[in-house]
Amino acid sequence: MTPDFFTRLGSLLETICKASNVDDADHTFERLLDCLVIDILSRLPSHSFLRCRWVCRHWRALLVSSQDSFTNIHHLSRHTRPMFLIRDDFAKHDFAKHGQDLFVYDENENKKIKKKKKKVAFEKLHLKPELMINKNSKEEPNLLYSCEGVLMFDSAWWKSTYYIVNPITQEELTLQCTLYPNFVCALYFCPNTRQFRILFAKVQGTSCTYFVHILKTWKCKEIHSSTSFNFLSKNDNPAVVNGALHWITFHDLKRKDIAPCENGIMVFRMDKEELFTMPHPVSSNHNVCNSKQAHLAMTLMVKDDRLCFCNMLIPWYIVDMWLLEDYETRSWIKRYKINLLNERIFHFGKRLSEIRIRCAWDIKFLYIQEGELLIHLYDDYELYLYNLDRRTVKKLELLRGKMLSYTDCKLYHKSFLAIA
């Protein structure tokens, strides 16, 4: 906890003790109004907030009874900008010794640190050794999804075993999937029911059957579509807009090929649990749906609460960015055009121009926040923030020796949301 918090709280308690001649600190805390305690504790960092459960019996009872209120306060007030999560690749070779080496980088906090001329700070997410994800895994599990502070892993040894963990509360669920073969499409948080759910797809010949697993009730139900749904999505975190999940459609099972442009985006309505597709925008001078490589270069993100379609044209390294201005009419507007080979802006442009045979997955566009696009260069283990309006770029300095891989960089929010 912060020293300033203890100083102010200590002064307040000393005043109360002198006024009431009370020596028992436990009873002293009880003299504080609950609304005052809630207001004070809601301003604390998440790790300090959890430690407050052990201050006294009254605070513990208050935190337990007001868990939803505290969850909402932290969830709404502290996540103005997401952090991103990285994992130490070197730990994969000695998982039994290191466990889950997960690190969080918070750009806002590092701005404060840089002003003080200190080194960039990474916060390690600690997962207790007694958690099943550390005890049952012979190899380091793969990080699949990050949703509202909850992480989902699959077992590298048993592909039907999944671990769902909240690193802040240390709550964990282990899920054994009986669907085979199964494809995990998303871990998502349904705002109407305030429940975490998992969307699975079971491949059956030339069509897919989709299931939703509700973690709180431990029930699995089939999603009924009006027509036979034969599409699979890319293995990315979905873009959440307008109460729906959105992915780039990667595979058409009937055609046994990539999906056509009119089915380029796969959509799942969370409230009605409906699946359908919609077209993605197409550049007039390029046929973007001509290969799997082209589909791998497409990304869906969210900008200003609107769906953003990001398409990198290989091998020119031209990035077209479209915004869905009107969701109902599917009206797309092309807003940005980025030339990654422009050396005046991107100092890595020369490297890209010399190696034109690179694949689409070598460059990953992760998210847009406050007008800045986070770019991940896989082979070079580098991260850059590009300001879309100012056309400026800055490199994020990572931990020495910390390597990034395609699946090891996710958006992350700290939260107290319960998994079940």
Side-chain angles (χ1 to χ4, degrees):
M1 300 182 190
T2 59
D4 183 59
F5 168 76
F6 278 121
T7 301
R8 294 184 180 182
L9 184 58
S11 300
L12 179 59
L13 293 177
E14 184 179 359
T15 302
I16 294 175
C17 287
K18 288 181 178 179
S20 357
N21 295 318
V22 176
D23 296 325
D24 188 350
D26 194 19
H27 293 294
T28 302
F29 282 123
E30 294 178 4
R31 291 178 174 270
L32 292 175
L33 295 176
D34 287 349
C35 60
L36 178 60
V37 174
I38 292 174
D39 182 67
I40 293 173
L41 298 186
S42 66
R43 302 171 188 270
L44 292 176
S46 55
H47 63 280
S48 299
F49 169 79
L50 290 176
R51 290 171 58 191
C52 288
R53 292 178 297 178
W54 311 110
V55 170
C56 68
R57 291 188 296 272
H58 179 64
W59 276 22
R60 181 173 178 80
L62 181 62
L63 295 185
V64 172
S65 63
S66 306
Q67 183 67 37
D68 290 341
S69 299
F70 281 111
T71 298
N72 292 334
I73 291 172
H74 278 261
H75 184 67
L76 295 174
S77 64
R78 295 192 177 273
H79 297 154
T80 55
R81 185 185 182 101
M83 300 175 282
F84 61 86
L85 180 72
I86 68 172
R87 184 168 62 181
D88 184 4
D89 270 5
F90 293 122
K92 289 183 178 180
H93 305 295
D94 196 1
F95 174 65
K97 178 180 179 181
H98 295 280
Q100 299 292 331
D101 270 5
L102 301 170
F103 297 87
V104 170
Y105 180 95
D106 187 347
E107 177 67 12
N108 283 340
E109 291 299 321
N110 279 284
K111 286 179 180 179
K112 301 175 184 177
I113 292 173
K114 288 178 181 179
K115 289 181 180 179
K116 298 179 181 179
K117 298 182 179 180
K118 294 182 179 180
K119 293 183 179 180
V120 173
F122 279 79
E123 179 185 350
K124 184 171 182 177
L125 290 182
H126 175 69
L127 299 183
K128 294 180 180 179
E130 56 266 29
L131 293 179
M132 300 302 291
I133 190 173
N134 292 324
K135 293 173 65 175
N136 286 1
S137 300
K138 296 182 180 180
E139 297 179 15
E140 185 172 26
N142 301 308
L143 177 59
L144 297 180
Y145 297 104
S146 173
C147 174
E148 302 295 349
V150 173
L151 306 178
M152 181 176 182
F153 302 81
D154 74 341
S155 172
W157 191 260
W158 303 106
K159 290 298 183 182
S160 60
T161 302
Y162 300 95
Y163 305 97
I164 301 95
V165 186
N166 185 329
I168 301 301
T169 64
Q170 297 292 303
E171 183 185 4
E172 179 192 44
L173 286 180
T174 302
L175 176 64
Q176 296 283 345
C177 184
T178 57
L179 301 175
Y180 184 83
N182 70 79
F183 181 82
V184 183
C185 299
L187 167 69
Y188 68 97
F189 182 75
C190 187
N192 294 337
T193 60
R194 297 191 60 79
Q195 295 175 341
F196 282 100
R197 303 184 177 192
I198 300 175
L199 182 65
F200 287 98
K202 182 179 180 181
V203 180
Q204 297 173 311
T206 59
S207 65
C208 290
T209 304
Y210 282 84
F211 298 85
V212 166
H213 183 91
I214 305 172
L215 296 178
K216 187 173 184 177
T217 61
W218 212 253
K219 292 182 179 179
C220 188
K221 57 181 179 179
E222 182 179 343
I223 300 300
H224 298 282
S225 300
S226 57
T227 58
S228 177
F229 205 80
N230 51 286
F231 300 104
L232 282 174
S233 65
K234 282 179 64 178
N235 188 21
D236 283 336
N237 265 70
V240 184
V241 173
N242 204 35
L245 312 179
H246 303 77
W247 307 261
I248 294 296
T249 310
F250 186 65
H251 196 65
D252 186 335
L253 295 173
K254 284 186 177 179
R255 300 171 72 240
K256 296 182 179 180
D257 200 355
I258 58 175
C261 293
E262 58 266 25
N263 304 116
I265 297 177
M266 185 171 137
V267 187
F268 176 70
R269 285 282 302 271
M270 289 186 284
D271 55 351
K272 298 182 179 180
E273 295 186 338
E274 294 177 345
L275 278 165
F276 58 94
T277 61
M278 58 186 282
H280 64 63
V282 179
S283 300
S284 57
N285 55 340
H286 293 282
N287 182 15
V288 296
C289 287
N290 54 8
S291 68
K292 288 187 177 181
Q293 176 83 344
H295 272 235
L296 286 171
M298 300 176 187
T299 308
L300 287 178
M301 294 175 287
V302 179
K303 185 181 188 302
D304 302 328
D305 296 324
R306 289 174 290 180
L307 192 63
C308 177
F309 175 74
C310 182
N311 180 37
M312 182 173 65
L313 304 174
I314 301 291
W316 303 277
Y317 292 102
I318 300 294
V319 182
D320 289 336
M321 297 186 68
W322 304 68
L323 292 182
L324 187 57
E325 293 288 344
D326 192 315
Y327 195 91
E328 297 300 326
T329 62
R330 306 290 191 262
S331 176
W332 293 90
I333 295 181
K334 187 175 177 181
R335 281 297 178 90
Y336 301 99
K337 191 179 187 70
I338 307 170
N339 182 5
L340 296 178
L341 300 182
N342 187 342
E343 297 178 28
R344 291 180 296 177
I345 300 177
F346 302 98
H347 71 81
F348 55 79
K350 185 176 181 180
R351 279 182 280 161
L352 293 181
S353 62
E354 292 173 351
I355 312 176
R356 289 293 187 97
I357 59 173
R358 282 195 173 199
C359 300
W361 53 80
D362 286 340
I363 300 178
K364 180 69 175 176
F365 304 99
L366 298 176
Y367 74 88
I368 302 172
Q369 187 71 20
E370 298 179 1
E372 292 184 320
L373 172 66
L374 181 62
I375 305 173
H376 174 204
L377 266 62
Y378 173 50
D379 279 353
D380 301 311
Y381 313 114
E382 295 175 349
L383 284 168
Y384 296 88
L385 275 174
Y386 174 71
N387 190 297
L388 294 169
D389 296 316
R390 298 178 182 176
R391 302 181 67 193
T392 57
V393 65
K394 59 182 176 182
K395 182 179 179 181
L396 301 182
E397 299 295 336
L398 301 177
L399 280 173
R400 182 175 296 178
K402 300 301 175 190
M403 302 169 64
L404 296 175
S405 72
Y406 174 77
T407 57
D408 287 337
C409 194
K410 303 287 185 184
L411 288 183
Y412 177 72
H413 293 279
K414 290 182 179 180
S415 82
F416 300 108
L417 291 173
I419 300 174

